């Protein structure tokens, strides 16, 4: 029986399972490998870290199927020559086809002390630790959030609602928040932060992090806790793979999403080289195509000369529980409607995968 092994139970591989298990060929089985016994909604980790959501609210059970086996553990090796995955406890899992969706981790850009002295929201475990640190701070403490992308914005706004007593500083490398998007969107987010006493520090450049302080350019700033949301990179096991990669350490893939020299090894989500920034939307769109390619290859069918172009419709973000912002099909939506849109998308996702 042919064995498809999925490394990581994130958005990409959840979609692969959803598509394949509905009509899995009788000669195929699927093995899912993940460190946790559930799928985590990574887009909501900011709320877990801020203390406004529990981990039960942001996890979904993996699907059940007679030819789906879940193995829980940490992946420490991928041997493509032997077509085997090696786990931390010594288990060796053979595969015929492999989809790597192990996600990403923080990228510190060489900033001294950032890895040692900042908190993270990249995994559920790290988000829990961040929650314990932030929500355990005394009243009047100052928290710094480094990085004003979507994760940093959502974390800073959610933390403001969770802890109105904290001073919050959001460090933005750009001249204005969300500088790559329409000024209307940028102004709405900035005005929300002004109204809610979140200090946005534009044109920042964090050069060093030490216990209790960071350095913005040459200025020393005292902080009681720092959360890093200033960039991601593939997890180390993917960065160490012996395959061609892009400048960010992500494996280059063909239009069919297999690595360049191996049609049996696919990469999905944050790990895969792409013109688009990492997102749940992108991982799911890639997974749709991977599932189609796998079906065709299993049937011995010729693949199309050109795969459909992936189009990312936009994004939806929250500013606390009542306000939000969205950029969809070149249209900006702000306020309560945008927040309701995000809540609806989250509900639909959980419903479809429950």
């Amino acid at each position: 029986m042919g064995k498809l092994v999925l490394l990581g139970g994130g958005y990409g591989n959840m979609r692969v399972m959803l598509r394949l298990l509905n009509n899995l060929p009788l000669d195929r089985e699927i093995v899912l490998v993940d460190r946790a016994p559930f799928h985590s909604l990574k887009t909501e980790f900011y709320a877990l870290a801020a203390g406004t959501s529990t981990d039960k609210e942001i996890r979904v059970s993996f699907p059940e199927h007679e030819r789906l086996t879940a193995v829980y553990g940490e992946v420490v090796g991928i041997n493509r020559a032997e077509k085997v995955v090696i786990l931390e406890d010594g288990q060796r899992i053979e595969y015929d086809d492999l989809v790597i969706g192990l996600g990403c981790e923080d990228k510190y850009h060489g900033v001294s002390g950032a890895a040692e002295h900042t908190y993270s929201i990249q995994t559920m475990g790290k988000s829990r630790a961040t929650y314990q640190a932030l929500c355990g701070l005394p009243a009047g403490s100052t928290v710094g959030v480094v990085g004003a992308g979507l994760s940093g914005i959502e974390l800073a706004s959610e933390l403001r609602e969770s802890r109105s007593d904290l001073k919050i500083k959001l460090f933005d490398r750009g001249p204005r928040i969300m500088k790559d998007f329409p000024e209307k969107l940028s102004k709405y987010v900035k005005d929300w932060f002004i109204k809610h006493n979140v200090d946005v520090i534009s044109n920042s450049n964090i050069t060093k992090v030490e216990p209790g302080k960071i350095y913005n350019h040459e200025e020393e700033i005292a902080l009681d806790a720092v959360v890093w949301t200033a960039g991601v990179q593939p997890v180390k096991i993917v960065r160490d793979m012996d395959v061609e990669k892009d400048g960010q350490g992500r494996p280059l893939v063909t239009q069919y999403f297999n690595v360049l020299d191996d049609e049996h090894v696919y990469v999905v989500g944050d790990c895969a080289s792409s013109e688009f920034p990492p997102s749940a939307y992108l991982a799911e769109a890639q997974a749709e195509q991977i599932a189609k390619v796998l079906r065709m290859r299993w049937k011995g069918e010729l693949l199309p000369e050109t795969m459909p172009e992936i189009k990312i419709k936009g994004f939806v973000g929250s500013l606390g529980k009542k306000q939000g912002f969205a950029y969809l099909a070149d249209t900006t939506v702000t306020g309560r409607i945008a927040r309701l849109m995000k809540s609806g998308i989250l509900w639909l996702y959980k419903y479809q995968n429950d």
Side-chain angles (χ1 to χ4, degrees):
M1 185 172 288
K3 184 183 293 184
L4 169 63
V5 175
L6 309 177
L7 299 186
Y11 291 98
N13 276 336
M14 278 290 281
R15 182 59 60 93
V16 170
M17 283 189 287
L18 182 67
R19 292 293 177 258
L20 293 180
L21 288 174
N22 288 337
N23 189 21
L24 189 64
L26 294 176
D27 63 344
R28 300 286 159 173
E29 64 175 321
I30 298 177
V31 177
L32 169 68
V33 182
D34 196 274
R35 64 163 67 96
F38 47 77
H39 166 57
S40 305
L41 304 179
K42 188 174 182 179
T43 59
E44 305 307 302
F45 283 176
Y46 71 90
L48 176 60
T52 56
S53 290
T54 65
D55 61 2
K56 184 178 180 181
E57 294 176 280
I58 59 174
R59 66 188 191 212
V60 175
S61 299
F62 289 128
E64 295 183 359
H65 191 278
E66 59 184 5
R67 277 177 285 131
L68 170 65
T69 302
V71 178
Y72 303 119
E74 194 77 29
V75 179
V76 296
I78 300 170
N79 188 325
R80 292 196 295 138
E82 298 182 14
K83 301 186 76 170
V84 66
V85 173
I86 304 156
L87 303 190
E88 191 173 39
D89 63 3
Q91 285 190 77
R92 295 169 63 87
I93 302 174
E94 296 179 350
Y95 67 83
D96 294 288
D97 294 293
L98 181 70
V99 183
I100 301 170
L102 291 170
C104 59
E105 59 190 26
D106 291 301
K107 185 174 184 178
Y108 298 106
H109 308 285
V111 176
S112 174
E116 295 83 5
H117 305 302
T118 66
Y119 293 96
S120 171
I121 57 171
Q122 283 304 315
T123 68
M124 184 171 277
K126 289 180 178 180
S127 298
R128 288 193 193 105
T130 300
Y131 159 72
Q132 291 178 335
L134 298 183
C135 294
L137 289 171
S141 297
T142 304
V143 174
V145 178
V146 179
L150 186 58
S151 295
I153 289 170
E154 292 189 309
L155 174 63
S157 60
E158 201 82 2
L159 185 60
R160 165 52 70 228
E161 289 202 352
S162 173
R163 292 287 306 269
S164 60
D165 59 290
L166 296 177
K167 300 182 183 72
I168 301 173
K169 296 181 181 294
L170 178 61
F171 294 89
D172 184 7
R173 193 175 181 86
R176 67 175 172 90
I177 205 158
M178 305 198 79
K179 64 179 179 62
D180 296 328
F181 298 95
E183 194 164 347
K184 175 185 177 182
L185 185 61
S186 175
K187 184 178 185 303
Y188 179 80
V189 176
K190 180 182 178 181
D191 288 348
W192 191 97
F193 281 131
I194 291 173
K195 180 180 178 181
H196 293 85
N197 297 315
V198 174
D199 185 14
V200 179
I201 303 171
S202 302
N203 296 306
S204 64
N205 182 28
I206 306 306
T207 57
K208 184 165 57 172
V209 183
E210 294 179 349
K213 57 188 172 182
I214 67 172
Y215 293 81
N216 180 27
H217 299 280
E218 300 302 320
E219 180 188 4
E220 179 182 313
I221 301 174
L223 295 170
D224 296 288
V226 182
V227 186
W228 192 269
T229 65
V232 295
Q233 61 185 342
V235 295
K236 187 175 186 303
I237 190 171
V238 174
R239 298 200 307 273
D240 290 345
M241 285 182 66
D242 183 21
V243 295
E244 287 192 57
K245 306 182 189 74
D246 64 16
Q248 299 179 53
R250 302 177 301 184
L252 296 173
V253 294
T254 69
Q255 61 174 326
Y256 309 115
F257 292 99
N258 55 270
V259 297
L260 302 187
D261 63 344
D262 193 336
E263 69 176 34
H264 296 287
V265 176
Y266 302 79
V267 189
V268 68
D270 300 348
C271 295
S273 181
S274 173
E275 62 181 300
F276 301 108
S279 71
Y281 303 116
L282 177 61
E284 291 179 335
Q286 293 169 339
E288 293 281 359
Q289 297 202 5
I290 290 172
K292 291 178 181 178
V293 168
L294 283 168
R295 284 192 183 282
M296 294 183 74
R297 282 180 166 159
W298 290 344
K299 294 177 181 178
E301 298 176 355
L302 287 177
L303 298 179
E305 290 186 10
T306 304
M307 293 292 287
E309 180 183 357
I310 287 179
K311 296 181 180 180
I312 302 300
K313 298 177 181 178
F315 62 86
V316 180
S318 66
L319 291 168
K321 296 300 185 189
K322 296 181 180 179
Q323 302 295 315
F325 53 93
Y327 185 66
L328 302 167
D330 296 327
T331 301
T332 298
V333 182
T334 58
R336 191 164 183 80
I337 292 176
R339 187 63 181 90
L340 290 171
M341 288 170 62
K342 176 164 185 182
S343 296
I345 291 170
L346 180 62
W347 178 86
L348 184 62
Y349 181 87
K350 293 174 71 173
Y351 175 79
Q352 288 179 334
N353 289 281
D354 193 4

